[in-house]
Amino acid sequence: MATVTTPTVRPGIAERLSQMIRIPTVSAELEERGPAPFEEFVALIAELYPLTHEELGLERHTDFGLLFHWEGNGATSDEPVVLMAHYDVVPVDESDDWTHPPFAGVIADGSVYGRGALDDKGPLIVVLEAVENLLADGFVPPRDVYLSFGGNEETYGRAAEEIARVLRERGVVPWLVVDEGGAVVDAPLPFVPGRAAMIGVGEKGVMTLRLTARGDGGHASAPPSSTAVRRIATAVDRLGPTTFRPRASKAILRMLSQLAGQTPGPARHLLRLLSSAPLLTAQVFAALGGEPAALVRTTVAPTMQSGGTAANVLPSQASATVNLRIALGETTQQTVFRVRRRIRDPLVTVEVVEASEPSPESPTDNAQFALLAEALDVAFPGVPAVPYVMMAATDSRHFHRFSPAVYRFAPLDMSNAQRSSIHGVDESVEIAALERGERFHRALLERLG
């Protein structure tokens, strides 16, 4: 059994996260800001985590991928663990009313505020804190450990894709991969009390489509019955919430079964019923709308439209961009086929801009999931590990094709308001949550044997 160190967190974790937040690593604004913020961030973590940089090997993959290698000393060193995070963040709308400036890294009221506090510099820093503390204690893991940090996750994640490719080419098959995703939440469903650690055992695929239509241009005073703009508007309107049929994956049924155990009263019987009736569950969740509906079906979200050069000119071309999140059990090919069938217009071109398949589901009856539960019990006593489906895309999607156990979990407490602040306004993380997150990763690494 691995030696368990006394839980000690270096003072100043909030200050170190604040320094990270103050560097605007906005990958979507790379052309405007240039690569300097990203290089500044890499230099900062070298300064803040000297033991990690002295003891672990570091490789750069693409301009934005950092791969640290911590050599283990046990018989299972060839079955490593990969801990993932990303250090880029999404842009900020300057018109939004933030309580504290988004890139100021303000520490107030027991929290650290700013863009990236939760997504994903907070989850990144607790990994580095745990590794640095264990190194200071002289700990050597029984398995090899890789830290995979990407700087362009928010813009598809080419760095993580390259890191995964290199490891696979070297014959490195991770025993366990942990990336961002779920969190420790209150009331995981509206009628389920208590706290739960929601661990993503799978994630939906992602696809971006561009719909394009051409038409006769001309003066707007005499429009034809069918114009490019009207064709696109009709096509988008046909891609409503019911474009794809709902279906409950095994992960959702497992989630309901586990939540039933902590739910009192009639709700417990309802959860047990739903966990054994996938067709009924799919229909109920779809009817609820919002996040429950997104858990059981491929979602379609028109995000951009364009066409035209002047208010009184008919454009000869119009287009719309549609973002889809593909449910587990479906494929990108099936998705495009269904979109074309729903649009029912041969004069609307459907182009796949980018796409990645949904992940397979990682099991919950294996040693890897049990290890996550053990680490949870150290950092969050009494909080159960509950499987669910991750609706957003993560860098870990580049690993699930060759690693048998990929999980998406950021070991931080997140309220509903905090979860809503991700990619939104007033993103923040509690300092106490950072300390618990560090304890989670330290416990996980200590128990790898």
Side-chain angles (χ1 to χ4, degrees):
M1 178 179 290
T3 302
V4 179
T5 58
T6 303
T8 56
V9 179
R10 292 190 303 153
I13 187 172
E15 288 74 14
R16 287 187 286 278
L17 179 57
S18 173
Q19 287 180 263
M20 291 182 178
I21 289 172
R22 290 201 294 269
I23 302 175
T25 49
V26 185
S27 52
E29 298 175 352
L30 181 62
E31 288 189 10
E32 302 97 290
R33 296 179 183 271
F38 298 87
E39 292 303 320
E40 184 181 353
F41 186 90
V42 173
L44 175 65
I45 62 172
E47 175 188 333
L48 297 179
Y49 300 96
L51 291 178
T52 300
H53 282 75
E54 288 172 12
E55 301 294 332
L56 277 62
L58 172 59
E59 298 176 1
R60 299 285 297 266
H61 294 281
T62 75
D63 292 334
F64 302 101
L66 308 177
L67 181 64
F68 292 88
H69 181 202
W70 192 2
E71 290 190 17
N73 62 0
T76 53
S77 290
D78 59 341
E79 296 180 330
V81 169
V82 178
L83 302 180
M84 303 184 68
H86 64 90
Y87 58 95
D88 63 318
V89 299
V90 296
V92 172
D93 186 336
E94 298 298 336
S95 67
D96 288 338
D97 186 20
W98 286 66
T99 303
H100 302 287
F103 292 111
V106 170
I107 302 171
D109 305 318
S111 295
V112 185
Y113 290 82
R115 175 61 83 223
L118 294 172
D119 185 21
D120 190 41
K121 292 177 179 178
L124 182 148
I125 199 173
V126 297
V127 172
L128 284 172
E129 291 283 322
V131 171
E132 191 79 3
N133 290 337
L134 286 170
L135 288 169
D137 292 336
F139 176 80
V140 179
R143 296 179 185 270
D144 279 16
V145 175
Y146 289 92
L147 312 181
S148 174
F149 301 149
N152 50 16
E153 189 271 350
E154 301 290 1
T155 53
Y156 194 75
R158 297 295 182 189
E161 184 178 35
E162 177 64 11
I163 288 173
R165 187 196 67 77
V166 167
L167 289 180
R168 189 173 190 177
E169 191 175 76
R170 293 173 182 173
V172 176
V173 179
W175 179 76
L176 169 66
V177 177
V178 183
D179 196 5
E180 63 171 333
V184 177
V185 302
D186 290 316
L189 290 176
F191 46 84
V192 176
R195 303 167 77 207
M198 307 303 294
I199 298 178
V201 297
E203 72 177 58
K204 298 176 78 172
V206 60
M207 175 182 285
T208 300
L209 299 178
R210 182 179 294 114
L211 314 181
T212 306
R214 302 194 67 88
D216 294 330
H219 202 283
S221 60
S225 59
S226 180
T227 65
V229 169
R230 188 166 289 160
R231 282 190 180 279
I232 288 298
T234 301
V236 169
D237 186 58
R238 287 174 177 167
L239 297 176
T242 60
T243 298
F244 293 87
R245 297 184 181 91
R247 62 191 303 273
S249 64
K250 291 180 181 178
I252 298 302
L253 301 178
R254 284 184 286 174
M255 176 187 78
L256 295 171
S257 177
Q258 185 143 349
L259 290 176
Q262 68 184 73
T263 305
R268 171 180 295 185
H269 304 296
L270 173 61
L271 289 171
R272 284 178 174 165
L273 170 64
L274 292 175
S275 69
S276 61
L279 292 178
L280 176 62
T281 298
Q283 293 168 355
V284 169
F285 275 50
L288 289 172
E291 284 193 2
L295 284 172
V296 297
R297 67 159 34 123
T298 294
T299 57
V300 186
T303 54
M304 295 188 291
Q305 287 183 277
S306 64
T309 56
N312 62 346
V313 177
L314 295 174
S316 59
Q317 179 174 299
S319 66
T321 299
V322 182
N323 185 264
L324 300 95
R325 302 303 167 116
I326 305 169
L328 273 63
E330 298 180 4
T331 67
T332 54
Q333 186 177 12
Q334 292 170 336
T335 301
V336 175
F337 178 74
R338 189 160 185 84
V339 166
R340 289 192 171 117
R341 279 187 59 188
R342 287 296 288 241
I343 290 174
R344 300 192 311 276
D345 188 343
L347 297 182
V348 173
T349 301
V350 179
E351 175 194 357
V352 178
V353 179
E354 63 179 19
S356 62
E357 301 288 346
S359 76
E361 290 185 32
S362 294
T364 57
D365 58 354
N366 56 359
Q368 293 92 323
F369 197 84
L371 174 63
L372 296 176
E374 286 183 37
L376 268 171
D377 199 45
V378 173
F380 303 90
V383 176
V386 177
Y388 89 114
V389 174
M390 177 76 178
M391 290 176 284
T394 71
D395 273 343
S396 69
R397 69 185 182 277
H398 303 299
F399 283 85
H400 64 229
R401 299 302 168 196
F402 68 103
S403 178
V406 179
Y407 301 96
R408 301 145 189 92
F409 175 65
L412 301 175
D413 305 88
M414 293 190 197
S415 66
N416 287 336
Q418 285 175 307
R419 289 165 58 208
S420 298
S421 74
I422 295 174
H423 290 206
V425 177
D426 278 350
E427 191 176 344
S428 69
V429 62
E430 295 176 1
I431 298 171
L434 294 172
E435 293 170 348
R436 284 190 287 272
E438 185 275 343
R439 283 199 292 274
F440 170 86
H441 278 298
R442 183 147 40 88
L444 184 148
L445 290 167
E446 287 172 334
R447 287 160 173 76
L448 285 181

